[in-house]
Every structure is written in C-alpha cells, then in structure tokens.
Amino acid sequence: MEEEYSFLRGGGSMGALIRNKDWSETLLGDISVWPQSLRSAVSICLGASFPVCIYWGEKLSLIYNDAWSVIPAQKHPWALGRTAKEVWPELWPRIGAMFQSVLRDGVSTHSKSELLFMERADYVEETYYDYDFSPIRGEDGNVAGVFNAGLETTAHILSERRTALLHNLFNSVYIENSEESVFSKAGNEIKKLPHDIPCFILFTKQGDTPVPAVWHGVEVAGDNMVLPFEEVVSKGDAPLVDMRQIMSIERSEKVWPLACSKAKLLPLKLSSGEICGFFLAGISPNRPFDTDYQVFFQTIAAHISSAITNVRAQKERAHSVRQLRSLFVHAPVAIALLRGSEFIVEVANERVLEIWGRTADIVGFPLFEVLPEVVGTPIEEILKEVYSTGRRFSAGEYQVDLIRNGHLENLFVNFVYEPLVNSDGLVEGIITVAHEITDLVTARKQAQNNAEYLAELMKQKDEFLSIASHELKTPVTSVKAYIQLCQRVLNSQERALVFVNKASDQVNRLEKLISDLLDVSKINAGKMVYNLEPFDFNLLLKESIESVQHTSPKHHLILESSEDAVVSGDRLRIEQVINNFLTNAVKYSPNSDRVIIRSEVRQNNVIVSVQDFGIGIEREHINKLFDRFYRVENTAMKYQGLGLGLYISSEILKRHNGSFWIESEPGKGSIFYFRIPVNMPGEDVPQVIDNGMYYKDPQLNIRYNREKSRVEVEWTGFQDLESVKHGCMVILRFLKANNCSSVLNDNRLVEGNWSEASDWLAFEWFPTMEAAGLKFLAWILSSSTFSELAARKSIEMVNGNFTTEFFTDISEAEQWLDGCSD
C-alpha cells in the first residue's frame, strides 16, 4: 500500500472492501482526491471496535466499519459508497431532516432506543437503535460530513417487554382455582402485548374437540376451524398457519402497518402429557420468527398449561391425601411425614426407619425426641426454615451423624424437605424423602484416590523418562565421540573399522531413540517449546531431502514437484516431521530404490506427500493406526506400532494447526501426507452466499431441496474442527428452518483427515440434530481413507435413534433417502 493511503490500513473485511473498491465511480471520487478530513475520519472509523458509519458530502455517501456492516444486513456491501437516501429510503422521512440539521447547524443529535422500520431483509423489520449523528468538519471549518455511531437495542427492548408479559402472566394465572378463570386471566394479559402477539385464540377441549375459549384481534366464526390440531397432537408441532386461508377467522385490528398473516399453533400440555387445549398465536409481520420468538410462545403455553395442571392438582389433592399414607408406607424410597411445628412423626416407612436406625414405635413422637443427636445441628435449622417459609429444600450428598446399631455413624444422604400446605396456603407439616448413598460416596472417594495415585505414577513416569533421557544423552555423546576417534585411528584396519562403523550405527539409533523419548516427555508435560517465525518451506523441504539422501544411498529421493510457500512455524520441528516421513518411507520399502516427494499449495495449505513403493499397510492396520490418532488427547500408541516418530510428528503438526493422513495398498506401497497452513499475501475475503434456502462458501454448499423435503450438503477440500463446527451449525439451522428430517451429506470432495471433529459430531452435534428432527442421514464417503474412517468413527460413537447409511455413489444415496419415510 502506498504511504499516501496508509490511513486505509487494517479495518478487517471492510478495510479490504474499501481498499479494493473503484471509488472513481462514486460521488466521493478516486481516493487520491479525498480531503485530509475525510481520510482522518475513515482512519478513525476503521480503527473503531464499535459500529461507526461516515456519511460524507452533501449527498451523504456511506463509508463504514466491520462492526457497522451488520446493520444494513442484506444491503451490505452494496451500501458502501452509496448515498444515505439510496440506502435508507424507508427511513429517510425520519432521518433525512436530522442529517440536514447536522449539516446545516453543526450540532449533534442523539436518539435512544428509537423505533425504526428497516427494509434490510425480505420484510419490513421492527428495530430499535441508540444512535448519534455528529458533524465532521472539513479543512475550511464547515461541516463536510456526518459521523454516525449506532448500537442496535432491539433484542433488549423485545426481551424487556416479553419478560414483563411472562412475569405478569405467571403471577395472574397461578393463583386461579378454575380452568375458566385461568383462560380468562391469560387472555387479559396476552392482549396487552399486540406488538408481539397481534391476535390469538385460546382453545379449550370439549371431549376431543377444540373449542375457542378466549380470543383477541380476530373474529371467530363458524363451528369448525381448519387448523392442524391433529398434527400438533401427533407430532408435537406443525407448520405455521396461514391466517389468510382460514375463512372462519377475520382480522379485526392491527398494530403495525402490515397485517398479521402467519400464526403458530401450540399445544397446552399438562404435566401428565395430556393435551388440555391449544394456543394459536399470531406472529408479528415485522419480526423474524426466530428461536427467541418461538421460546416466548412456548413459555406462554407452558405457563397456561402449568396453571391448569395446578388447578386439576388442587381438585385431586383431597383424594391424594387419603392415599398419601398408604403410598408413603409402600414407597421404594425413605419417606416420612412430620406434622406441626413440633414435627410429630405421623408416618415413617420401613426405609426411613432403616436410615434413622429406629423402629416403628417412634411414630406419634416429636422428631427431636426420637433423634436427639440432630438437635442443634443444621438439620434442625433447615426443618424450621422450611416450616416457617414454605420453601422446599433439597440437598445432595449431605453428611449427617446418626446413632445406629448402638454407636454414632457418619453417613451421606440425598434428601428433600417438601412443605405440606393446606387449602388455606398454610404449612401444616413437612414431607421428607431421602436416599442413603454412603456406599456410593465411599466408593467414589476411593476411586478418586486411585485416580490421584495413578496420576502421580504417570507424573513420576514422565519425570523418569525426562531424567533418563537427559542422563543417557551424556554417555551416548561421549561414546559417539570415542567411536569417531576409533574410526580415524582404525581407518587402515578394514575389519576392525567395519565393527566400529556398526557400533556407530547403533549409537546413532540409540541417540535418536533418546531424543524421541525426550520429546515424548516434553509433550506429556506440555513443555515442548515452539519457536514460531516465517520461513521458506520449499527450501527446507529440499534441504531435508538432501540430508536424508546422504544417509540412504540405496534409495533415490525424488522431489517430483514443489511450489514456493512461506510458513509461520518452528522450522526445526517441521524439519523433524519431514525427516520422519522420509526415513519411514525408506525403512518400509527395503526392496524398492525410490521415494517420490511432492509439494503443492492448495486452499491456503502446503500439502506434502511422501510416496514409497514398499510393503504397504493392510486396511485393518490403517484402521488401528487411525484409532490411535483420531483424538487430540489420545496417546495410547506412544510406545507401540510405528514407533515414537509418527506420534511426535502428529503432535508437532497439531501445534501448527495441521494434520497428517495415509493412503496405502499392500504390496504396492504407501503415501504419507501432511498439511500445514501457509502465509497468503493479499488474501481475498471469502465469498459467502446465505439466503435461507442456499448457502455457499469455499468449503461448503448447502441447499434445501423443497421437492424432496431434505437438506443437501456438499463438503469440499480440507476440513478441520473449526470448519466442521461452522458447517454443521449451518446444516442444523437449515434443518430447523425447513422442519425436515432427512440430510444428504456428500463428502466425495473432502480430502485429508478431519478426525479431530469426530468426538464433537458424536457427542454434541448429532444429539442436537436428532432433537431438531433428524431421522435419516445418507453419508456419501470420501475416497480419502482417513476421511472415511473419521466419518465411520463419529457414527460409531453416536447413541441416537436416527438412521445412517454410508454410500460411495450419490444416486444410490438419493434412492435410499427417497425410500425412507417418517
């Protein structure tokens, strides 16, 4: 960048867009003619971490930073360089005069949580903003532009008003003693928030027929309404209701300029699972029906359902009290009923008597008389607190001392003290439910002690390795020096020299083993030091090949192709990886005379392959090798299999955000690959398309196939934990948004090894997908062995009820999904 344009340095994505834009086609003209005042303002804008936009000139052309770019949403980056009136035609009647006032008078304006109807999506959106318009003066002292700092407060405003409704709804319906009054009070509260619920109907049930009980904002006509009641009952959910197609419902009022056209039908479900009614809630035409909005509706339905559950529970309570005594006596857990402020033991079943170490003759006596050892302990205080406040108390692994079998025993219990409330709301007793877990706690503590002991042994082992490696290194170095002296002295004695040379080879092997053991101990202790700096990777690769070639005269190490690349990393450690791959290739191809090395730069990675023509690796051995390496924390193979070198190389690559993988065919040889990121000057901002029905970025294509009602995904190139997480969350969004249950997952274009993401898929993403509705997954495998194994490993670990099939042909996968049904 020329020094003249240094004010455009940095600024993230927007900095790049501004630098690359042809400003000569805008009202601002080429950057070279920008005045110093504009340049200074742009420099401040790009350096700010909060949302900032500059409106410059009489026409108010826009320049803004990354934080502000989310405000225009779909209008970004089109808005860059355009005039305020072009970008905000819907807001111009409001903000136009404010801009002119700032330009004319040079006085700042401030608005707090102002309602703005924005057309930045495919609908008119209700938004709220805190924002300032401040003058920017030019070189002549006159106002040349407007500085706009803005912060969207929509989420805060929505949360406050929705939380207030939920609070009032809760307080009003939970005190009612009939279902009719619950519906009436709920309706009175809901209609107070027409901004979020422009219309609604609360249905009760007469037999199996839903009947409107309370409604607002609509006119209810006719006996039957065409609503998806049965689908809600069978599936728990249904698509949004098109209010315009319900002929028996007519809109009678509206709050916003647009009429409510969509509504959500939710079940009112009792704690028993029985559906006692329905809640049809109109959706604001000016807000997206996002997760928060849906949870808001669900919470309203839950409050109403809980209140009705409470009403029915009150009616059943009298009957329940009669059955309570029998239930307590035969319960499989320890239960006691303590009556009155003296805590008279009215009921005590056999299990609670076992915990207390008492017999049934204590019934009818105050608790503190029959258990004098708890007097003055926290147990006494807790019981009195529950009785006086009516608040439930529970505790886990609570330690208490009780006299059992003639002596004081220390035991652990999980227990609950539940106040027993009469019809007047007064506490008349306490129900105690307990479960003794003394054996469980003792066993767990023993296991913890064993784990700590094992950890100490592992620490001592690592310390031993470290000390042994250091101690061995000194005599080995000395032996090596003496052997070198012997080689010089015995140079003319051929037979003796052969033996000395063989001894030298063994010392070199021992020195390499000691060095590897030392690296392993450093890795285990987290003390492996990396000196990260940019270096010429191609030069390092050539030097490493030349070095190994000197020690392997029987093999020809051929660098078949390479590309220039600059890598930021520890040059010596990366050289260690290359040497390990090359020496392995020589070692496992004793009957071959060549090793081919290739290097290329793709997708911001340098990819190195080392191909030998030796014995190869059986598929089952590759599987075992993969199992040893698929987790970052997996260290089971440190001292077995292919040896320490590959383990150390793997750890070095992980620390450089890289990975390795293997392709092999028995009898024909193997190709060992590894990749590490490269420094890419002038890297363009990745182009992303995301319109709700289609998503595309350089590594991922996702679309919703409306005809087949499934999400179709195509992964491309190299993947890691970060890219897999990002892509999977987009897939989850598509699955939820389109309410479908099938996914076509195409991995054919995936390369390399993404096994670090296998655990996350199995234990976090797949359970979330299943909860969102996933039932059928067709997985088209990559030809890369490690990619395929990562896919199978992630499914192998899943504990779910959705169905997965693996394929190598996309047409077979599509046919299988077509034949699946919910």
Side-chain angles (χ1 to χ4, degrees), residues 295-465:
V295 170
F296 173 57
F297 281 175
Q298 291 165 1
T299 306
I300 291 175
H303 280 340
I304 298 171
S305 302
S306 296
I308 295 174
T309 298
N310 187 53
V311 168
R312 295 192 180 184
Q314 290 179 20
K315 293 180 180 179
E316 295 175 359
R317 191 163 297 157
H319 176 68
S320 298
V321 168
R322 291 192 298 269
Q323 294 181 324
L324 190 60
R325 189 181 301 272
S326 175
L327 175 64
F328 284 2
V329 170
H330 299 96
V333 295
I335 299 180
L337 172 58
L338 310 176
R339 183 75 68 175
S341 60
E342 294 185 356
F343 307 110
I344 305 297
V345 181
E346 186 170 305
V347 177
N349 69 1
E350 184 175 343
R351 291 181 179 270
V352 81
L353 292 174
E354 290 176 359
I355 293 177
W356 289 350
R358 304 300 192 270
T359 58
D361 55 9
I362 67 168
V363 174
F365 291 90
L367 178 69
F368 298 126
E369 288 187 15
V370 298
L371 296 178
E373 61 268 33
V374 301
V375 174
T377 69
I379 290 291
E380 181 181 10
E381 297 176 7
I382 294 169
L383 280 169
K384 291 180 178 179
E385 179 75 10
V386 173
Y387 188 83
S388 62
T389 63
R391 288 195 296 267
R392 181 176 182 266
F393 181 87
S394 63
E397 294 190 13
Y398 191 88
Q399 182 176 336
V400 62
D401 294 330
L402 293 175
I403 297 175
R404 303 197 301 187
N405 302 317
H407 60 275
L408 197 64
E409 292 187 15
N410 177 249
L411 59 146
F412 294 88
V413 291
N414 294 336
F415 71 90
V416 176
Y417 287 160
E418 186 74 38
L420 183 63
V421 182
N422 61 24
S423 58
D424 296 325
L426 300 176
V427 177
E428 59 183 23
I430 294 176
I431 300 171
T432 173
V433 181
H435 177 60
E436 184 175 357
I437 55 169
T438 303
D439 292 342
L440 181 63
V441 172
T442 302
R444 191 189 69 241
K445 289 183 176 181
Q446 182 62 48
Q448 289 174 343
N449 292 336
N450 292 341
E452 291 171 1
Y453 176 68
L454 181 59
E456 180 61 28
L457 287 179
M458 294 297 290
K459 180 181 177 182
Q460 293 175 8
K461 180 266 296 181
D462 289 338
E463 290 176 351
F464 168 76
L465 282 176

Side-chain angles (χ1 to χ4, degrees), residues 83-123:
T83 67
K85 194 170 183 179
E86 285 182 280
V87 176
W88 304 119
E90 71 275 17
L91 302 180
W92 196 248
R94 165 61 183 154
I95 66 174
M98 298 172 67
F99 275 121
Q100 295 305 319
S101 174
V102 176
L103 290 174
R104 182 184 66 249
D105 303 328
V107 178
S108 300
T109 66
H110 175 72
S111 297
K112 185 171 181 62
S113 293
E114 180 171 349
L115 170 61
L116 297 175
F117 284 103
M118 286 188 171
E119 296 178 7
R120 58 181 183 179
D122 54 358
Y123 61 95

Side-chain angles (χ1 to χ4, degrees), residues 416-608:
V416 176
Y417 287 160
E418 186 74 38
L420 183 63
V421 182
N422 61 24
S423 58
D424 296 325
L426 300 176
V427 177
E428 59 183 23
I430 294 176
I431 300 171
T432 173
V433 181
H435 177 60
E436 184 175 357
I437 55 169
T438 303
D439 292 342
L440 181 63
V441 172
T442 302
R444 191 189 69 241
K445 289 183 176 181
Q446 182 62 48
Q448 289 174 343
N449 292 336
N450 292 341
E452 291 171 1
Y453 176 68
L454 181 59
E456 180 61 28
L457 287 179
M458 294 297 290
K459 180 181 177 182
Q460 293 175 8
K461 180 266 296 181
D462 289 338
E463 290 176 351
F464 168 76
L465 282 176
S466 180
I467 294 170
S469 299
H470 281 291
E471 292 298 322
L472 285 170
K473 215 165 188 181
T474 300
V476 166
T477 301
S478 299
V479 171
K480 188 174 181 179
Y482 286 128
I483 289 176
Q484 289 172 346
L485 290 173
C486 288
Q487 286 174 319
R488 296 194 191 102
V489 172
L490 298 173
N491 192 36
S492 61
Q493 302 180 35
E494 183 176 345
R495 182 173 179 79
L497 183 61
V498 169
F499 293 137
V500 172
N501 287 339
K502 289 183 179 292
S504 178
D505 291 341
Q506 295 303 314
V507 170
N508 288 336
R509 290 182 61 190
L510 182 58
E511 184 180 37
K512 176 64 168 60
L513 176 60
I514 292 171
S515 179
D516 285 347
L517 285 171
L518 188 57
D519 280 345
V520 169
S521 66
K522 289 179 180 178
I523 291 170
N524 286 348
K527 296 179 180 179
M528 180 78 92
V529 177
Y530 295 87
N531 299 312
L532 305 178
E533 58 183 7
F535 64 88
D536 185 335
F537 181 84
N538 198 26
L539 177 61
L540 171 63
L541 181 61
K542 291 177 181 178
E543 291 176 352
S544 299
I545 293 173
E546 182 179 353
S547 174
V548 176
Q549 181 68 81
H550 287 317
T551 62
S552 307
K554 293 182 180 180
H555 287 75
H556 298 290
L557 305 185
I558 305 167
L559 181 58
E560 190 172 272
S561 62
S562 64
E563 292 185 40
D564 291 336
V566 176
V567 170
S568 289
D570 189 315
R571 193 180 193 277
L572 291 177
R573 289 299 181 185
I574 296 300
E575 181 180 13
Q576 187 176 352
V577 173
I578 297 173
N579 289 345
N580 179 259
F581 275 48
L582 294 176
T583 53
N584 267 351
V586 171
K587 177 180 179 181
Y588 290 103
S589 56
N591 298 321
S592 175
D593 63 353
R594 63 191 174 112
V595 173
I596 296 177
I597 303 99
R598 303 177 183 89
S599 172
E600 62 175 322
V601 176
R602 282 191 290 124
Q603 301 175 32
N604 296 345
N605 288 270
V606 58
I607 299 99
V608 177

